[in-house]
C-alpha cells in the first residue's frame, strides 16, 4: 500500500481538489492511504478566529468569509459528485469559539479542535469526490496514538501500529482518506501534531502499515539545494539519506516537517517528494542511502532565533550544570535548536526560537537564582534576531577543507559568525549569524558550493566617454562572461544630476534614456538600501568621472561594503593620509580598491609594480611617458608641426581633454607619477612633485578654451627653438615623469634617440622601471595609454578582479 499526502496548496480550490482526485486515482494503485491537509490558508484563518475570540474581539467578518469559502467548495463538490456525507459540524465549531470569547480563555484542548477543523473539511470533500471508487473516511483520532500534548503531540508508534491494523481490517476500501495533523491521547481526546504536522501524520501512517512508499505531494518538484524562493538557481536533489533529510528539515527546509523523516527512517519506508502540478517529474527520494559523491547535498537556513549564554565561575568544573540548564528549559517545553560550549567550560550557549525567548529566560533565572545572587553565574546574555545557516551532506566527512570554504564564503558575504556547531558524524556544519544577513550568506554559500557562478553587481558613476564605452563593453561581453560562469549585472548608472537604479538590471539598449528620466541624484544611502533590499553580495562602485566629490567618498563606499574601481585619479592623489586610509579600510572590510587605469589606462602598470614590490623588489629609479595626449603632441612636434598646430590636431583627434590646458599643465602626469611613487613606498604629496608645464601657468590666464587656442601660436617660436636645440644634439623632446633618489619630477626632457622613450609617440605610453631585480636594463611596459576604449577595457579588467581576494 502507498501513502499519499497532499498539502494545503494542493487543496486550495475546486480545481486543485479535482487535480488531487485524479492523482489519487492514477498514482494510488490498487490500495492507498491518503492524508490531507486543510485547504490552503484555512488553518491560518482558524488560528486568527481563535485568537480574536480569546481576546474578546469581534470575529463575525472573518467567520463569514471562511464559512462562505468552505461552503462554496462544498456546493461545487456536491453539484458534481453528490452529498459530502462527512461534512464537519460548523455549529459545534461556532459554539467553541463563542465559549472562548465568553471566557476570554482558550484551553489547549479547545484550540486543538478549532485549528484542526480544516483537515476534516478536506477529507469530507475528497471522500465525496471518490465515493464511487471505494473511498473510506479514516478517522485519525482512531488511528494515531499520541502523548497528552494537545498542540504539539508526539506519536506513539507501537500503539498506533495496533490501531491502524484494526481500522484497516474493519473497513476494507481501495482508498483510505485520513485528515492530517491530528491524533488522540490515551483518554481519546483530540491532539494535534504541531503546525504543518500533516507530513508527520503521513510518515506515521507509512511506518505503521509498512507502506511501499510515503509520497508527500506539494507545490515544488522536490527537495532543493536551497530554498528556491530565495535562491533562483537552486537545483533539485534527486536522492537524500534519512539523516540528510532530517538535518535539512530541522534547520529550516520548508518542504519537510522536522518530525516527518524519523518514523520512515525507523521502519525503512522510502519517502518521496512530488509536485502536484507536475506529477510526471521524478521528485526527490529519501531513503536509507543517498546517492552521488557530492560532499554537500544541500544548504538550509533557519531564522528568528535568539542565543542565550549562561556563564560564570560557577560553571567551570561543576558536574551537572549543563544538565540543570537543559532540564530547566525542558520543564517549560522550550525547544533548543543548537548548542555550543566553550572549551574551558566557563560558558554554554544555545539557540531557541525567538517566540520562546521570554519563557527560556524565566526558566533559567528561576533555576539559577541562588547562583546569580552569589555571583557564581553572570546575568544571562541574550542576542536576538539571529539565524542559522547549515551545510548538509553525508559525504562531507570524506572531503577536507569544506569548513574553511564555508567560513570563507560567510566572510565573502560580509557576515560575522556568532557561533559554530558540527555534529559528530560530520554530516552537517552550522554557523549562527545575524538574521538580517541570512539571505546574503545563503546566496554566497550556494554560489560557492553549487552553482559556481559568482556575481558581480556594478554601479557606474560617470557616464562620459569612458563610462559610455564601459557600458558598451559590458553588453558585448555578456556571452564571454557566461562561458566563464560569471554573472555580471549592471544595476545602476549615475551622472552629476541623475541616478538610475533597476532591480532587474539596467537595460543596455536604453540606459541613457532611463538615466535622463531619473528624478533623483546619486546618494550612497540609496545604493546601500538597494543592495540590502536585493541581497547583493558583490557590489562594485565604478567611478569613471573626474569628480573630487566622489573621490572624497571612497572611504565611505568601502566602509559600506562596496568594492571600488576607480578611473578617477583624485582619491589616490589626495593627501597621503587619505590614500593610506583607503587601503586600510579596504583591507578591514575585505573589499577591493582597484585603480589600474589611474596610470596607464589599459596597460598593466600598477599590477606589475605591485607584483614586483610584493616579491620584495625595490624601486631604484623610474622614467616614463605617462600621457597619451602629450605623447601624441610631442610626436607631431617631432614631425615638424608647431605647438599650436600639434595641439589643435590632438584636440580634433580626441586625444586631449575638452580643455587642452588640462593636459598641457602637466598636472595629470604629476598625479600619475605620484601614484607610482606611493605604490613604490614613497610617502609624498602632490605638492612634492616638481612640475614643468608645457605652457607657462600664467599664459592666457582666465581665457576661454577658444581664446586659449587662438593665442597658443604665440609660444610656437620658443618651442621651435627648443626642438631645434635638441635636434642639434641628436635628441628629441618628450614629456617625461621621473623618480630618482626619492624625488619626483615631470617636465620636458631632451632624450637621446637611443633612449627607451625616444620613439614613444602617437598616443603610446611607456614606463621604464629600474629596480633591484631589473638592472642594469630596466623593466619596460609600453602600449597605447589614451582613448576611451582601452581605458574602459582596463576598468572592465579591474571589475573582474573583485571576484578574487
Amino acid at each position: 500500500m502507498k501513502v499519499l499526502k497532499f498539502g494545503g496548496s494542493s487543496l486550495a480550490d475546486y480545481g486543485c481538489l479535482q487535480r488531487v482526485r485524479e492523482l489519487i486515482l492514477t498514482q494510488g494503485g490498487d490500495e492507498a492511504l491518503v492524508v490531507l491537509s486543510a485547504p490552503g490558508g484555512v488553518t491560518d484563518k482558524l488560528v486568527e478566529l481563535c485568537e480574536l475570540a480569546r481576546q474578546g474581539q469581534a470575529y463575525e467578518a472573518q467567520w463569514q468569509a471562511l464559512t462562505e469559502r468552505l461552503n462554496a467548495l462544498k456546493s461545487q463538490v456536491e453539484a458534481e459528485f453528490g452529498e459530502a456525507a462527512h461534512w464537519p459540524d460548523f455549529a459545534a465549531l461556532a459554539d467553541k469559539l463563542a465559549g472562548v470569547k465568553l471566557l476570554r480563555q482558550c484551553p489547549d484542548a479547545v484550540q486543538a479542535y478549532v485549528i484542526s477543523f480544516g483537515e476534516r473539511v478536506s477529507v469530507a470533500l475528497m471522500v465525496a469526490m471518490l465515493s464511487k471508487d471505494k473511498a473510506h473516511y479514516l478517522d485519525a483520532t482512531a488511528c494515531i496514538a499520541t502523548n497528552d500534548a494537545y498542540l504539539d503531540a508526539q506519536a506513539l508508534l507501537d500503539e498506533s501500529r495496533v490501531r491502524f491494523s484494526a481500522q484497516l481490517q474493519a473497513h476494507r476500501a481501495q482508498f483510505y482518506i485520513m485528515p492530517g495533523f491530528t491524533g488522540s491521547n490515551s483518554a481519546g481526546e483530540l491532539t494535534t501534531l504541531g503546525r504543518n504536522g500533516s507530513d508527520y501524520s503521513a510518515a506515521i501512517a507509512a511506518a505503521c502499515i509498512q507502506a511501499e512508499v510515503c509520497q508527500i505531494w506539494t507545490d515544488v518538484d522536490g527537495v532543493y539545494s536551497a530554498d528556491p524562493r530565495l535562491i533562483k538557481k537552486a537545483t533539485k536533489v534527486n536522492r537524500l539519506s534519512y539523516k540528510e533529510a532530517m538535518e535539512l528539515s530541522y534547520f529550516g527546509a520548508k518542504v519537510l516537517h522536522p518530525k516527518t523523516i524519523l518514523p520512515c527512517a525507523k521502519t525503512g519506508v522510502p519517502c518521496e517528494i512530488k509536485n502536484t502540478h507536475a506529477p510526471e517529474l521524478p521528485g526527490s527520494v529519501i531513503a536509507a542511502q543517498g546517492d552521488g559523491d557530492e560532499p554537500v547535498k544541500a544548504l538550509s537556513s533557519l531564522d528568528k532565533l535568539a542565543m542565550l549564554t549562561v556563564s560564570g565561575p560557577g560553571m567551570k568544573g561543576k558536574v551537572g550544570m549543563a544538565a540543570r540548564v537543559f532540564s530547566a528549559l525542558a520543564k517549560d517545553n522550550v525547544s533548543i535548536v543548537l548548542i555550543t560550549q566553550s572549551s574551558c567550560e566557563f560558558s554554554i550557549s544555545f539557540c531557541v526560537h525567538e517566540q520562546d525567548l521570554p519563557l527560556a529566560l524565566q526558566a533559567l533565572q528561576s533555576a539559577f537564582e541562588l547562583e546569580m545572587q552569589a555571583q557564581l553565574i553572570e546575568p544571562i546574555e541574550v542576542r536576538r534576531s539571529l539565524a542559522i545557516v547549515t551545510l548538509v551532506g553525508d559525504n562531507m566527512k570524506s572531503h577536507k577543507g569544506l569548513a574553511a570554504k564555508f567560513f570563507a564564503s560567510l566572510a565573502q558575504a560580509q557576515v560575522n559568525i556568532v557561533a559554530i556547531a558540527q555534529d559528530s558524524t560530520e554530516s552537517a556544519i552550522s554557523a549562527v549569524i545575524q538574521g538580517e544577513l541570512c539571505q546574503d550568506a545563503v546566496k554566497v554559500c550556494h554560489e560557492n558550493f553549487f552553482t559556481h557562478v559568482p556575481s558581480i553587481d556594478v554601479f557606474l558613476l560617470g557616464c562620459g566617454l569612458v563610462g559610455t564605452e564601459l557600458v558598451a563593453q559590458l553588453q558585448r561581453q555578456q556571452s564571454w562572461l557566461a562561458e566563464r560562469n560569471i554573472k555580471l549585472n549592471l544595476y545602476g548608472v549615475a551622472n552629476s544630476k541623475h541616478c538610475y537604479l533597476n532591480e532587474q538590471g539596467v537595460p543596455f539598449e536604453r540606459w541613457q534614456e532611463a538615466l535622463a528620466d531619473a528624478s533623483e541624484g546619486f546618494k550612497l544611502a540609496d545604493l546601500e538600501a538597494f543592495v540590502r533590499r536585493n541581497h547583493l553580495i558583490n557590489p562594485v562602485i565604478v567611478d569613471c568621472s573626474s569628480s573630487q566629490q566622489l573621490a572624497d567618498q571612497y572611504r565611505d563606499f568601502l566602509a559600506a561594503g562596496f568594492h571600488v574601481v576607480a578611473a578617477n585619479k583624485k582619491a589616490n592623489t589626495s593627501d597621503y593620509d587619505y590614500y593610506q586610509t583607503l587601503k586600510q579600510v579596504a583591507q578591514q572590510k575585505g573589499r577591493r580598491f582597484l585603480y589600474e587605469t589611474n596610470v596607464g589606462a589599459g596597460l598593466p602598470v600598477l599590477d606589475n609594480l605591485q607584483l614586483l614590490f610584493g616579491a620584495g623588489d625595490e624601486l631604484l629609479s623610474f622614467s616614463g611617458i605617462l600621457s597619451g595626449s602629450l605623447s601624441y603632441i610631442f610626436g607631431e612636434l617631432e614631425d615638424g608641426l608647431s605647438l599650436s598646430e600639434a595641439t589643435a590636431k590632438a584636440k580634433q583627434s580626441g586625444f586631449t581633454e575638452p580643455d587642452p590646458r588640462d593636459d598641457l599643465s602637466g598636472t595629470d602626469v604629476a598625479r600619475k607619477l605620484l601614484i607610482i611613487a606611493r605604490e613604490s613606498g614613497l610617502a609624498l604629496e602632490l605638492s612634492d612633485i616638481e612640475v614643468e608645464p608645457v605652457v607657462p601657468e600664467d599664459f592666457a590666464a582666465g581665457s576661454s578654451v577658444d581664446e586659449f587656442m587662438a593665442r597658443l601660436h604665440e609660444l610656437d617660436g620658443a618651442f621651435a627653438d627648443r626642438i631645434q636645440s635638441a635636434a642639434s644634439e641628436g635628441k628629441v623632446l618628450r614629456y617625461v615623469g621621473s623618480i630618482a633618489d626619492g624625488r619626483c619630477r615631470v617636465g620636458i626632457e631632451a632624450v637621446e634617440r637611443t633612449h627607451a622613450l625616444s620613439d614613444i609617440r602617437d598616443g603610446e605610453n611607456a614606463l621604464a622601471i629600474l629596480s633591484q631585480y631589473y638592472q642594469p636594463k630596466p623593466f619596460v611596459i609600453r602600449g597605447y595609454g589614451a582613448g576611451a576604449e582601452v581605458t574602459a577595457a582596463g576598468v572592465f579588467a579591474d571589475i573582474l578582479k573583485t571576484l578574487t581576494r
Side-chain angles (χ1 to χ4, degrees):
M1 183 187 297
K2 292 182 178 180
V3 171
L4 285 68
K5 180 266 174 181
F6 294 91
S9 60
S10 300
L11 303 161
D13 55 34
Y14 184 57
C16 291
L17 288 168
Q18 288 179 309
R19 186 180 299 111
V20 168
R21 176 182 180 274
E22 291 302 315
L23 286 172
I24 293 171
L25 293 173
T26 57
Q27 303 288 326
D30 296 333
E31 193 176 25
L33 192 158
V34 179
V35 179
L36 300 181
S37 296
V42 167
T43 302
D44 289 336
K45 295 299 181 184
L46 291 166
V47 171
E48 181 185 11
L49 284 168
C50 203
E51 183 60 20
L52 288 172
R54 188 188 65 79
Q55 295 175 4
Q57 298 183 24
Y59 56 79
E60 287 76 15
Q62 289 84 349
W63 171 264
Q64 183 176 354
L66 178 63
T67 54
E68 285 181 355
R69 175 190 170 188
L70 297 181
N71 282 323
L73 275 178
K74 177 173 180 283
S75 297
Q76 288 176 294
V77 169
E78 291 185 335
E80 184 171 351
F81 296 101
E83 182 185 3
H86 298 278
W87 193 245
D89 190 349
F90 276 72
L93 177 63
D95 288 343
K96 299 278 190 188
L97 291 170
V100 171
K101 183 177 181 181
L102 180 65
L103 298 174
R104 303 284 182 96
Q105 292 182 1
C106 185
D108 288 350
V110 174
Q111 186 173 350
Y113 175 88
V114 173
I115 65 177
S116 64
F117 197 82
E119 280 73 13
R120 296 190 285 280
V121 169
S122 293
V123 172
L125 295 172
M126 191 54 60
V127 169
M129 295 174 76
L130 291 168
S131 59
K132 296 178 182 178
D133 300 285
K134 299 180 181 179
H136 173 71
Y137 189 128
L138 191 63
D139 187 355
T141 61
C143 295
I144 297 179
T146 74
N147 61 11
D148 291 331
Y150 292 105
L151 301 179
D152 192 13
Q154 294 289 331
L156 306 175
L157 283 183
D158 290 340
E159 187 176 340
S160 298
R161 192 173 291 112
V162 173
R163 291 188 182 188
F164 268 106
S165 177
Q167 289 294 316
L168 297 183
Q169 288 179 13
H171 306 283
R172 302 304 302 171
Q174 181 179 3
F175 301 120
Y176 300 91
I177 315 299
M178 185 181 84
F181 187 40
T182 55
S184 65
N185 59 22
S186 57
E189 299 171 303
L190 182 145
T191 58
T192 59
L193 305 177
R195 288 301 304 271
N196 303 310
S198 292
D199 287 356
Y200 187 30
S201 298
I204 294 165
C208 289
I209 66 174
Q210 201 63 43
E212 170 190 342
V213 66
C214 176
Q215 292 184 336
I216 308 293
W217 290 84
T218 181
D219 57 357
V220 295
D221 296 340
V223 179
Y224 278 77
S225 55
D227 189 338
R229 294 170 298 181
L230 303 179
I231 306 299
K232 295 179 181 178
K233 293 184 179 180
T235 56
K236 184 170 69 69
V237 181
N238 294 325
R239 190 178 181 91
L240 302 91
S241 69
Y242 292 128
K243 183 166 181 54
E244 288 172 333
M246 282 190 280
E247 291 283 2
L248 285 173
S249 64
Y250 183 72
F251 284 111
K254 303 296 190 294
V255 73
L256 293 169
H257 188 275
K259 299 177 184 176
T260 301
I261 306 304
L262 188 58
C264 291
K266 284 183 175 180
T267 53
V269 175
C271 183
E272 191 173 5
I273 312 299
K274 299 276 287 182
N275 190 338
T276 306
H277 307 286
E280 71 281 2
L281 296 178
S284 296
V285 176
I286 302 167
Q289 297 294 327
D291 66 349
D293 296 325
E294 301 91 348
V296 179
K297 194 66 66 73
L299 178 70
S300 66
S301 61
L302 189 63
D303 59 3
K304 298 180 181 176
L305 301 173
M307 174 172 278
L308 297 92
T309 299
V310 182
S311 62
M315 297 285 292
K316 184 173 177 60
K318 187 71 177 292
V319 176
M321 293 299 285
R324 287 182 60 191
V325 169
F326 300 128
S327 294
L329 298 172
K331 184 178 179 181
D332 286 338
N333 294 315
V334 175
S335 175
I336 298 171
V337 180
L338 176 146
I339 303 167
T340 181
Q341 186 173 18
S342 65
S343 59
C344 65
E345 302 182 15
F346 185 81
S347 67
I348 185 167
S349 300
F350 50 91
C351 289
V352 300
H353 296 281
E354 280 195 332
Q355 65 190 28
D356 294 333
L357 179 58
L359 195 59
L361 271 174
Q362 183 180 354
L364 291 172
Q365 287 166 350
S366 298
F368 293 98
E369 182 178 3
L370 295 179
E371 285 86 350
M372 288 182 182
Q373 290 176 358
Q375 298 184 341
L376 295 173
I377 298 293
E378 296 176 358
I380 296 167
E381 179 185 343
V382 177
R383 296 188 66 166
R384 294 174 171 82
S385 302
L386 299 177
I388 296 175
V389 177
T390 303
L391 292 182
V392 174
D394 283 344
N395 293 324
M396 286 172 59
K397 59 187 174 184
S398 60
H399 289 75
K400 299 184 183 299
L402 289 177
K405 186 176 179 180
F406 180 40
F407 300 141
S409 298
L410 296 177
Q412 183 183 341
Q414 302 286 290
V415 172
N416 290 324
I417 299 173
V418 178
I420 300 166
Q422 185 172 22
D423 77 336
S424 59
T425 64
E426 300 182 36
S427 61
I429 183 169
S430 301
V432 182
I433 63 173
Q434 287 295 328
E436 63 184 9
L437 299 175
C438 181
Q439 189 167 340
D440 294 353
V442 171
K443 187 175 180 181
V444 176
C445 290
H446 196 271
E447 281 186 358
N448 291 341
F449 284 95
F450 296 98
T451 61
H452 307 290
V453 180
S455 297
I456 308 175
D457 309 311
V458 175
F459 300 89
L460 172 63
L461 311 182
C463 301
L465 291 175
V466 174
T468 300
E469 173 60 27
L470 177 63
V471 175
Q473 290 185 15
L474 295 180
Q475 181 179 12
R476 287 198 302 269
Q477 295 297 90
Q478 287 299 307
S479 59
W480 180 89
L481 293 165
E483 289 172 3
R484 287 154 180 80
N485 287 331
I486 298 172
K487 177 64 175 173
L488 195 153
N489 310 287
L490 179 62
Y491 279 118
V493 289
N495 57 23
S496 59
K497 296 181 180 178
H498 306 284
C499 180
Y500 172 67
L501 303 174
N502 189 323
E503 295 180 359
Q504 303 303 314
V506 172
F508 287 119
E509 295 77 12
R510 52 175 299 276
W511 69 270
Q512 290 165 310
E513 294 90 335
L515 177 61
D517 292 340
S519 58
E520 298 290 332
F522 166 74
K523 296 176 185 174
L524 176 59
D526 292 342
L527 251 63
E528 290 183 272
F530 184 92
V531 167
R532 286 194 301 270
R533 187 166 61 249
N534 292 283
H535 300 282
L536 305 184
I537 56 177
N538 197 37
V540 184
I541 290 178
V542 179
D543 183 8
C544 289
S545 75
S546 59
S547 166
Q548 183 68 55
Q549 182 183 10
L550 289 178
D552 290 342
Q553 295 183 70
Y554 285 6
R555 175 171 47 197
D556 297 332
F557 295 166
L558 292 164
F562 291 86
H563 301 289
V564 175
V565 172
N568 184 348
K569 292 182 280 290
K570 300 291 177 62
N572 275 327
T573 55
S574 294
D575 63 82
Y576 185 75
D577 287 343
Y578 185 60
Y579 166 82
Q580 288 289 86
T581 297
L582 295 180
K583 299 271 192 175
Q584 292 164 3
V585 174
Q587 185 175 22
Q588 291 167 1
K589 292 294 181 178
R591 302 284 91 174
R592 300 295 302 274
F593 175 37
L594 300 159
Y595 42 87
E596 181 62 71
T597 57
N598 275 195
V599 173
L603 295 178
V605 176
L606 297 179
D607 269 355
N608 279 293
L609 284 175
Q610 290 164 357
L611 286 172
L612 286 176
F613 300 143
D617 203 356
E618 293 183 16
L619 183 70
L620 299 179
S621 66
F622 168 87
S623 62
I625 293 176
L626 302 174
S627 168
S629 307
L630 296 180
S631 165
Y632 184 89
I633 289 172
F634 277 78
E636 295 299 314
L637 291 173
E638 183 184 352
D639 288 345
L641 293 186
S642 66
L643 176 63
S644 59
E645 291 170 335
T647 303
K649 185 176 180 181
K651 184 175 185 296
Q652 185 177 6
S653 301
F655 276 100
T656 71
E657 295 294 328
D659 186 344
R661 284 172 289 191
D662 292 341
D663 300 290
L664 297 172
S665 69
T667 302
D668 181 64
V669 177
R671 289 184 182 277
K672 293 177 179 179
L673 190 66
L674 177 63
I675 293 169
I676 291 173
R678 287 178 170 178
E679 292 294 309
S680 67
L682 297 176
L684 300 177
E685 303 290 353
L686 188 59
S687 59
D688 295 324
I689 311 294
E690 180 186 343
V691 180
E692 177 194 3
V694 177
V695 299
E697 291 184 13
D698 57 353
F699 179 77
S703 63
S704 67
V705 174
D706 290 340
E707 291 169 341
F708 169 79
M709 293 298 295
R711 289 190 55 191
L712 190 56
H713 69 88
E714 298 173 16
L715 302 178
D716 287 348
F719 247 85
D721 292 342
R722 292 188 68 171
I723 293 169
Q724 182 60 40
S725 175
S728 66
E729 298 176 3
K731 299 178 180 179
V732 293
L733 295 185
R734 293 291 182 261
Y735 199 82
V736 178
S738 61
I739 303 173
D741 300 324
R743 299 176 63 84
C744 299
R745 181 187 183 278
V746 298
I748 303 169
E749 292 187 14
V751 300
E752 301 283 352
R753 289 194 176 275
T754 56
H755 193 283
L757 301 180
S758 64
D759 62 344
I760 303 302
R761 49 174 296 158
D762 301 328
E764 273 195 294
N765 282 3
L767 303 91
I769 302 164
L770 196 69
S771 71
Q772 293 286 359
Y773 295 169
Y774 287 89
Q775 59 171 321
K777 290 188 177 181
F779 173 43
V780 176
I781 302 172
R782 175 177 175 175
Y784 285 101
E789 188 172 357
V790 293
T791 304
V795 171
F796 195 163
D798 271 355
I799 292 172
L800 295 180
K801 292 173 195 171
T802 63
L803 292 178
T804 62
R805 295 292 185 271

